[in-house]
Amino acid sequence: MIHGIGASPGRALGPVRRIEARAERPEHRTIASDDVEREVERLEEALRWAADRIRRTRERTARALGEVEANIFDPQILILSDPDLVDRTIHYIRENFLSAERAFDWRLTELRTAILDAGHHMVVDRLTDLRDIRSRVLARLAGHEGDPLALPSEAAVIVTEDLTPSVAVRLDPGLVLGVASGSGSRTSHSTLLARSLGIPAVVGLGKSLARIEDRETVLLDGGNGRVIVQPGETEMAAHVQMARRLSEYGEVPVEREPSPLFTADGVRVHLRANIDQPHDVPAARRVGAEGVGLFRSEFLVIGRRVIPSEEEQYGAYREVLEGFPDHPVTLRTFDIGGDKFPLFLDLPAEENPYLGWRAIRVCLDLPELFRNQLRAAIRAGGEEGRMRILVPFIISETEILRTKEIVDGVLAELGHHTRVPLGAMVETPALASTLDLVGRHLDFISLGTNDLTQYSLAVDRGNARLQHLSDPLHPAMVRSYDRVFRVATDLGLEIGVCGDLAADPIGLTLLLALGYRDFSLAPASVPEVRELVGLLSTAELARIGARGGLANGAVQLRRRLHAYIADLIPSSAARLSIP
């Protein structure tokens, strides 16, 4: 079993097809002075050709997936006409008498070095764009017309060191069962495209990627970041059985209302969807999600050179609300910074951007950007206040009070008299510890187990090497979940969970044992969780907790919950589902 970073949820079972980019290595060739202008013309033609191909890719992406995904290719088009690239390359041709190939490759190497030296996450994201551009331009100069990467013609799990956006967008979900890559992150462009295409993906496998050989069979889980090489017959049979059951959800009409979900002992549980954009709504409805527990709004700003207008935002928010006319929709305000950068912001280079100028800190420092979003969201929610506002990365009472002032000001501007539900993501140890103070000003909370675990345990969840330390069942985490639930209950707050822990069988049983009843998940995770909830008894889980103490040891806790689940579901499915 190889551990990486779960980047796009879902499971895949199939043969491996290793794919590698064709390595274009231009020779160090000088030219005669009489050939200089001809080399410049060759370069300019190759740049035009590459830009044309990228525009075509962008148009196909817009038609198939929407403008949000299509925007991913805009920076590549801009780079190809950037004087910093073009003029310097031509300079090397004319002054150093280099061939077009060698001059272009030299200039790209300089740009890559500058990017790495900058150390800024926003700039480092451009490395993938440069690799895409290099592959296209050098292939054209070398006279290669075909794609620099050959994709499978039969169903397979793709294994590759680096999946660029131009390749990711061409993946056929009917043939590409899943993707395992050595590099990448949860928020890389290629990962976003894989999620939009519904293709499971595990990234950040690093050197472990070499342990997966071509034609081997693998079982890939894009939810928990695991790849099982040469799985046993029992594990494969369990996967096929689970896939058969989950495929039934794909046949459910979008219009059908989900039936209420209860545990085995009759306790009501709500499963809602985490979505990245309005196009995710049909999939969320099809699997029976009861509204949206986390509507990430960053799709409106990432990669954009201009701030999205209020009307553009209003249209996107209304589309989601109309998709769930009878269920709540919770909008997370812009969580920009960290690894999510809009181009219209002059974000400073920071040693640790995840703990820097991001999320609510940016919004409070740029009140017009914040007010613009709040106006669109409140208008979309209407007088009935259907759009719930969720604020990320809160650490103090002051931040919530300032947010409430801005919200109240927007309500007054719009003439709305209905109170808009305001909540906070509990994802920092500071808020988890002071919820009794901050919670007095809130209507609801959402427990963000991913970041809360990262910051509490001082473990980067984007670092595959440290995944064994990122344990959401660590006693410190269990105690934190318990304390947050009790404090929020005492304050009369609505309580939800939107982290990956709820999609894990043991994590789900733990949260139910602690009292949590409202979970927001990736749509791909809802069917399995729905089936498991129906088998669990909250009364029995309470007895398990009372017998051993839920927060006295991660190993013992995992064993007790594992044994309980294994008694409820077939052994083959248990082996597949339970880590």
Side-chain angles (χ1 to χ4, degrees):
M1 183 182 293
I2 301 172
H3 293 270
I5 301 167
S8 180
R11 290 200 188 95
L13 172 67
V16 167
R17 169 67 185 277
R18 292 192 68 101
I19 58 174
E20 305 296 340
R22 184 170 59 221
E24 302 287 353
R25 291 187 174 87
E27 60 178 292
H28 184 76
R29 181 171 64 89
T30 57
I31 58 174
S33 57
D34 293 343
D35 293 330
V36 165
E37 293 310 313
R38 187 178 68 84
E39 288 298 297
V40 171
E41 290 175 5
R42 287 183 65 232
L43 171 70
E44 292 175 339
E45 190 280 333
L47 294 174
R48 289 193 299 270
W49 180 88
D52 179 65
R53 289 299 187 276
I54 295 172
R55 289 191 187 94
R56 293 184 190 182
T57 300
R58 189 196 187 288
E59 290 168 3
R60 287 196 301 270
T61 305
R63 288 195 298 270
L65 300 175
E67 279 295 319
V68 174
E69 286 83 359
N71 287 338
I72 286 172
F73 296 97
D74 289 343
Q76 292 190 21
I77 297 171
L78 291 170
I79 291 171
L80 283 169
S81 60
D82 188 343
D84 198 31
L85 170 64
V86 179
D87 292 353
R88 292 300 297 174
T89 302
I90 292 175
H91 172 82
Y92 292 147
I93 295 173
R94 287 179 171 154
E95 300 299 322
N96 297 74
F97 299 103
L98 294 178
S99 66
E101 294 93 331
R102 184 69 181 112
F104 181 75
D105 198 40
W106 186 6
R107 183 54 186 153
L108 280 187
T109 299
E110 290 179 331
L111 292 175
R112 184 177 184 277
T113 301
I115 287 171
L116 290 171
D117 288 345
H120 194 300
H121 279 65
M122 177 175 65
V123 183
V124 171
D125 280 345
R126 296 281 77 83
L127 288 175
T128 301
D129 290 324
L130 290 185
R131 282 193 289 269
D132 240 348
I133 289 168
R134 180 183 185 275
S135 179
R136 288 182 184 275
V137 173
L138 291 183
R140 179 64 173 178
L141 289 170
H144 299 144
E145 292 289 339
D147 287 319
L149 207 61
L151 296 178
S153 56
E154 55 188 22
V157 175
I158 283 183
V159 174
T160 182
E161 179 56 41
D162 179 38
L163 191 68
T164 64
S166 291
V167 174
V169 77
R170 294 190 291 112
L171 299 180
D172 181 351
L175 293 176
V176 179
L177 305 175
V179 174
S181 74
S183 58
S185 69
R186 284 186 176 90
T187 56
S188 69
H189 288 162
S190 298
T191 297
L192 295 174
L193 289 168
R195 281 204 294 269
S196 295
L197 291 165
I199 297 174
V202 176
V203 302
L205 289 165
K207 294 180 179 178
S208 297
L209 199 72
R211 294 162 57 188
I212 307 175
E213 297 184 5
D214 204 38
R215 305 301 176 184
E216 282 186 320
T217 298
V218 295
L219 177 57
L220 177 149
D221 191 325
N224 58 31
R226 293 181 299 174
V227 180
I228 301 175
V229 182
Q230 297 294 80
E233 291 184 8
T234 304
E235 290 164 322
M236 290 192 289
H239 169 79
V240 172
Q241 178 184 351
M242 183 70 73
R244 187 180 299 116
R245 292 206 303 271
L246 297 183
S247 68
E248 296 172 1
Y249 284 90
E251 301 170 3
V252 175
V254 174
E255 297 78 15
R256 181 184 298 180
E257 278 295 309
S259 57
L261 177 62
F262 296 91
T263 62
D265 57 340
V267 175
R268 181 75 164 96
V269 173
H270 297 275
L271 297 184
R272 313 190 194 280
N274 294 342
I275 66 171
D276 294 311
Q277 55 178 306
H279 292 145
D280 296 334
V281 169
R285 286 188 58 87
R286 195 170 284 115
V287 296
E290 299 178 73
V292 176
L294 178 64
F295 180 10
R296 303 180 179 97
S297 58
E298 293 77 45
F299 75 97
L300 288 161
V301 295
I302 300 304
R304 296 282 296 271
R305 292 188 174 274
V306 294
I307 298 174
S309 69
E310 180 182 328
E311 289 307 313
E312 180 184 356
Q313 295 186 61
Y314 170 82
Y317 303 153
R318 278 303 306 172
E319 187 175 344
V320 175
L321 286 162
E322 289 168 0
F324 287 99
D326 301 315
H327 297 285
V329 172
T330 301
L331 177 75
R332 184 179 70 185
T333 56
F334 293 138
D335 189 4
I336 50 182
D339 57 358
K340 298 183 286 289
F341 298 94
L343 298 178
F344 58 76
L345 280 186
D346 184 20
L347 290 164
E350 297 176 307
E351 288 294 327
N352 190 342
Y354 292 97
L355 298 180
W357 194 52
R358 57 167 288 199
I360 190 59
R361 298 168 183 175
V362 174
C363 289
L364 291 177
D365 284 352
L366 302 174
E368 284 307 312
L369 173 69
F370 197 21
R371 190 176 291 110
N372 196 40
Q373 181 179 35
L374 292 172
R375 280 181 59 90
I378 292 171
R379 284 177 55 210
E383 282 288 352
E384 62 272 29
R386 287 193 53 226
M387 183 71 87
R388 292 153 43 103
I389 305 297
L390 179 64
V391 186
F393 213 61
I394 291 291
I395 65 168
S396 71
E397 188 177 24
T398 301
E399 290 168 330
I400 283 295
L401 291 175
R402 289 183 62 193
T403 298
K404 285 176 68 72
E405 287 179 10
I406 296 174
V407 170
D408 290 343
V410 170
L411 287 170
E413 291 172 10
L414 296 173
H416 280 225
H417 304 291
T418 303
R419 192 162 178 269
V420 175
L422 180 65
M425 286 278 290
V426 181
E427 56 187 342
T428 65
L431 181 55
S433 299
T434 61
L435 187 60
D436 56 324
L437 301 176
V438 182
R440 297 176 299 176
H441 312 290
L442 300 172
D443 300 297
F444 68 96
I445 62 163
S446 187
L447 182 69
T449 59
N450 298 344
D451 275 346
L452 185 59
T453 300
Q454 170 174 242
Y455 298 130
S456 297
L457 301 184
V459 174
D460 179 3
R461 66 188 181 105
N463 187 332
R465 175 177 285 184
L466 302 179
Q467 289 306 293
H468 66 289
L469 297 177
S470 182
D471 184 6
L473 269 65
H474 188 289
M477 301 314 306
V478 178
R479 293 177 183 180
S480 183
Y481 309 148
D482 183 41
R483 181 172 59 250
V484 166
F485 182 82
R486 287 188 285 103
V487 171
T489 299
D490 290 344
L491 291 171
L493 302 178
E494 294 181 33
I495 306 168
V497 179
C498 65
D500 291 340
L501 185 61
D504 174 81
I506 291 180
L508 175 69
T509 54
L510 168 67
L511 293 168
L512 285 168
L514 293 173
Y516 290 90
R517 302 290 184 261
D518 197 310
F519 307 100
S520 191
L521 314 153
S525 300
V526 171
E528 279 188 60
V529 172
R530 190 175 183 86
E531 288 204 10
L532 182 57
V533 166
L535 299 173
L536 300 174
S537 165
T538 56
E540 180 60 28
L541 287 172
R543 284 192 288 272
I544 292 173
R547 283 199 302 268
L550 287 174
N552 291 332
V555 174
Q556 296 87 341
L557 172 63
R558 198 180 298 273
R559 285 175 178 166
R560 290 198 304 274
L561 295 178
H562 186 290
Y564 172 62
I565 299 172
D567 286 340
L568 295 176
I569 59 181
S571 59
S572 60
R575 287 185 64 187
L576 180 66
S577 300
I578 305 172

